[in-house]
Amino acid sequence: MSDDEQAQHPEGDISEVRYKMEEEARKRQERAKEEWKEYEEFRRAEREKEEEEIRQLRERRERRKKERAEEEARLAETRAIEEQKRRAEDEERLRKKREEEQRKREERERKRQEFAEMSKMTTRRNFVINKKAGSVEQVEEVKQEEVQKSKEQLEAERKAILEQRIQPLQIDGLKGEQLRAKAKELNDIIMRLEGDKYDLEQRFTRQSYDMQELAERARQMNKGDKRGTKVQNTPDPLAAKISGLPPKISMYSEYERIKDHRSFGERQGVFKGPLFTERYERIEPKVKVVMTEDGFQIGGEVPRAPAPESEPPAADAEPAAVTAE
């Protein structure tokens, strides 16, 4: 090999290596372009898919909005129909209620008039005067004769009186404040009626006690009058009822805290029985105990003190004797 060929050989190797490097670089660029192209195709497909989904979502939203608007319109129409129907029912109910109240008022008025006419027809005096020859006129109270009525008439009169006394409760259409005011008014009425009831009960109890006391006083006065003059001419049914009873016996003091609830017979029978039937005689003492200045002495005579000369002899003073049984 000549020197010129040896000199040219390294340059050929360099060009071959460069060619290979350029070829590899070109292949890498082509492969990168293909990958980029594939990526762009993939991204385009993904973007088209996303756009399709977005379009479908928008269409679905528009469809739902339209359906919701139609549903709201249909519900509004239904509510309007129901409200109109409810108002018609309320008006019908109020009309029937007014008619029923008017009918009840007319019925009560008719029954009241019938009862008033019947009362006028059956009115009579509630006492009779009996006059007898040789005696004082006596006035006896008698009960008013009860009108012969059927059970239905009595029940109708009772219902009419209850409807007249018991007013219906009107609370339809009232609001919260009005209902509270109505409840307060009813509470005040109940409290007033309870107070009147308590006052009447106390008055009845007090008057009953006064009647019993007056009847007892009249009985005692009639009993103590020797001439037999009566205090009252008209018979007293309460005095006649208790006239044969003995006077009241005080069993215990009203100031005792713990009262003895035994009867009078039980108390009287405490001192009766075999223990109290026989009386025992007193045993006379056999020994006398005499008290002197020196103390007690059994038996013997008590020493007497000498009497003074100027004074007359005093009577013998016997010492006090204590008997021992």
Side-chain angles (χ1 to χ4, degrees):
M1 180 179 295
S2 61
D3 295 334
D4 296 335
E5 291 178 358
Q6 291 179 355
Q8 292 178 357
H9 184 70
E11 294 179 358
D13 294 337
I14 293 171
S15 60
E16 186 177 357
V17 171
R18 184 179 298 171
Y19 176 76
K20 289 181 179 180
M21 291 176 63
E22 290 177 356
E23 187 69 20
E24 290 177 358
R26 185 179 58 79
K27 289 180 179 180
R28 283 197 300 270
Q29 289 179 359
E30 291 178 356
R31 189 166 55 252
K33 288 180 180 179
E34 291 178 359
E35 291 178 357
W36 179 254
K37 188 176 181 180
E38 291 177 358
Y39 177 74
E40 286 183 351
E41 292 291 336
F42 177 75
R43 286 294 302 163
R44 188 182 300 108
E46 289 291 332
R47 190 163 50 252
E48 290 177 358
K49 185 177 179 180
E50 291 177 357
E51 290 177 357
E52 182 67 20
E53 290 179 356
I54 292 172
R55 185 181 60 79
Q56 292 178 1
L57 290 175
R58 288 178 179 175
E59 291 178 358
R60 189 182 304 171
R61 184 181 62 183
E62 294 295 332
R63 186 169 59 254
R64 287 182 179 177
K65 186 183 296 185
K66 186 177 180 180
E67 291 176 356
R68 192 180 301 112
E70 293 176 356
E71 184 70 20
E72 289 179 357
R74 186 167 58 254
L75 290 176
E77 185 178 359
T78 305
R79 283 196 296 269
I81 294 173
E82 291 179 355
E83 182 69 19
Q84 185 177 1
K85 184 178 179 181
R86 186 183 63 81
R87 289 181 179 178
E89 291 177 355
D90 292 342
E91 292 177 358
E92 183 68 18
R93 185 170 60 255
L94 291 176
R95 185 182 62 80
K96 290 182 179 180
K97 186 175 181 180
R98 286 193 294 268
E99 292 178 357
E100 184 69 18
E101 291 178 355
Q102 182 67 20
R103 186 183 63 80
K104 288 182 179 180
R105 282 196 296 269
E106 293 176 357
E107 186 70 17
R108 286 197 298 268
E109 184 66 22
R110 184 180 61 80
K111 291 180 180 179
R112 188 183 62 80
Q113 292 178 0
E114 291 179 357
F115 183 73
E117 293 177 358
M118 192 175 298
S119 300
K120 290 179 181 179
M121 293 174 60
T122 58
T123 302
R124 56 180 300 178
R125 62 185 183 183
N126 60 351
F127 63 91
V128 293
I129 301 176
N130 297 329
K131 297 182 180 180
K132 295 182 180 180
S135 62
V136 184
E137 296 181 355
Q138 297 180 353
V139 181
E140 298 180 356
E141 295 183 357
V142 294
K143 295 182 180 180
Q144 184 180 3
E145 296 181 359
E146 185 177 1
V147 182
Q148 298 296 333
K149 299 179 182 179
S150 63
K151 188 175 181 180
E152 290 77 8
Q153 291 178 352
L154 294 175
E155 186 67 21
E157 291 179 2
R158 176 177 173 274
K159 288 184 178 180
I161 293 173
L162 289 178
E163 289 178 358
Q164 186 177 2
R165 292 183 179 179
I166 301 175
Q167 299 296 331
L169 185 62
Q170 300 290 343
I171 58 174
D172 294 339
L174 298 182
K175 297 182 180 179
E177 294 294 335
Q178 296 176 351
L179 288 174
R180 281 191 287 271
K182 188 68 175 178
K184 186 176 183 302
E185 180 182 356
L186 294 176
N187 186 30
D188 295 340
I189 293 174
I190 292 173
M191 295 296 293
R192 179 173 56 80
L193 292 177
E194 288 292 337
D196 295 342
K197 176 184 175 183
Y198 177 78
D199 295 339
L200 291 175
E201 289 178 353
Q202 295 297 323
R203 182 180 178 185
F204 176 76
T205 305
R206 186 174 61 255
Q207 289 182 354
S208 300
Y209 179 78
D210 294 341
M211 289 176 63
Q212 293 178 3
E213 289 292 331
L214 292 174
E216 178 65 20
R217 290 181 184 178
R219 189 181 68 83
Q220 294 293 339
M221 292 174 67
N222 291 334
K223 184 178 179 181
D225 193 356
K226 296 181 179 180
R227 294 175 298 177
T229 305
K230 294 184 178 180
V231 177
Q232 54 184 2
N233 295 327
T234 58
D236 190 356
L238 184 60
K241 185 184 296 184
I242 64 174
S243 60
L245 300 179
K248 184 172 65 175
I249 299 176
S250 179
M251 301 291 294
Y252 41 78
S253 175
E254 61 180 352
Y255 301 102
E256 292 181 2
R257 290 189 176 182
I258 301 177
K259 298 181 179 180
D260 190 358
H261 297 284
R262 293 180 298 176
S263 63
F264 183 75
E266 292 176 354
R267 293 189 181 190
Q268 191 178 15
V270 172
F271 302 99
K272 293 181 179 180
L275 297 178
F276 301 95
T277 55
E278 185 178 357
R279 293 183 175 274
Y280 296 95
E281 296 181 357
R282 182 178 179 83
I283 301 175
E284 296 295 335
K286 297 180 179 180
V287 180
K288 292 185 178 180
V289 179
V290 181
M291 182 177 181
T292 61
E293 295 179 356
D294 298 334
F296 292 98
Q297 294 182 3
I298 298 176
E301 295 181 358
V302 180
R304 298 179 180 179
E309 297 179 356
S310 60
E311 295 181 359
D316 296 338
E318 296 182 358
V322 180
T323 60
E325 297 181 359

